[in-house]
Amino acid sequence: MRSVQPDQTAKARIRDAAILRFAQDGLEASVRSIAADAGVSAGLILHHFGSRAGLRQACDDHVQAAIRDSKSVVMAPVGAPAALLAQLAQLEGYAALVGYVLRCLQAGGELTTRLVDGMVADAVEYLDQGVEAGTISPSRDEAARARLLTDFALGSLLLNLPAGRE
């Protein structure tokens, strides 16, 4: 089995630093602080992402892909229990992603709406995989079920994490 090396390009370092900084300080964290965290100049951020909104979109895309990959492994028909246990053992590794999503939800706006809508679309796919594998019963309205489950999960995140209840 070969190991996957993390992306260490300047663009990936900037994106990862932005996710962590946004999770810690909120979405108004300065581009200069993100640049310092990534070990690059603020100009390089604009070069790679075009704007602050472009950086935020890249962060959203990365976080959504990470969530999708993680959930897809757990929803797989074979090996799902072991995958879930492996993910739980590495829970701290998800802290920046969870913090980032929390900050996005608190901020609201068009980009957050797109992020949540993407999560709902992904949830439809997870549920379809579960129905196909026979681990989930079908629903009369898969899209509505996906929206409801996503809203419940994100709402719980908003209610519980800021209060210190994990």
Side-chain angles (χ1 to χ4, degrees), residues 74-78 80 125-138 142 145:
V74 172
M75 294 300 290
V78 177
E125 290 182 30
Y126 314 142
L127 292 169
D128 286 346
Q129 290 171 6
V131 168
E132 189 175 307
T135 57
I136 297 175
S137 297
E142 294 296 344
R145 175 164 64 169

Side-chain angles (χ1 to χ4, degrees), residues 12-34:
R13 284 195 335 267
I14 293 166
R15 180 204 61 222
D16 294 346
I19 289 169
L20 184 57
R21 179 60 59 186
F22 288 150
Q24 291 172 344
D25 297 343
L27 298 180
E28 297 306 315
S30 74
V31 170
R32 290 181 195 269
S33 66
I34 294 166

Side-chain angles (χ1 to χ4, degrees), residues 5 9 14 27-29 31 33 43 45 49-50 63 67 83 85 90 95 101-102 119-120 123 140 156:
Q5 296 297 319
T9 63
I14 293 166
L27 298 180
E28 297 306 315
V31 170
S33 66
I45 293 176
F49 300 99
V63 167
I67 293 168
L85 291 174
Q90 299 173 3
V101 170
L102 178 62
M119 290 177 175
V120 170
R140 285 183 289 169
S156 179

Side-chain angles (χ1 to χ4, degrees), residues 22-23 25 30 32 35 37 39-40 43 54 57 59 63 79 102 108 110 118 122 124 128 143 152 159 162 165-166:
F22 288 150
D25 297 343
S30 74
R32 290 181 195 269
D37 292 348
V40 300
Q57 186 63 55
C59 292
V63 167
L102 178 62
E110 183 182 332
D122 289 344
V124 169
D128 286 346
F152 281 173
L159 288 172
R165 295 177 298 212
E166 297 177 5

Side-chain angles (χ1 to χ4, degrees), residues 77-97:
V78 177
L84 177 60
L85 291 174
Q87 286 181 9
L88 288 173
Q90 299 173 3
L91 202 54
E92 290 178 8
Y94 296 100
L97 301 179

Side-chain angles (χ1 to χ4, degrees), residues 55-66:
L55 175 60
R56 165 80 194 277
Q57 186 63 55
C59 292
D60 285 3
D61 293 345
H62 180 74
V63 167
Q64 187 175 347

Side-chain angles (χ1 to χ4, degrees), residues 139-163:
S139 168
R140 285 183 289 169
D141 188 343
E142 294 296 344
R145 175 164 64 169
R147 171 61 69 179
L148 183 68
L149 291 172
T150 302
D151 287 350
F152 281 173
L154 295 176
S156 179
L157 179 68
L158 274 170
L159 288 172
N160 289 305
L161 279 182

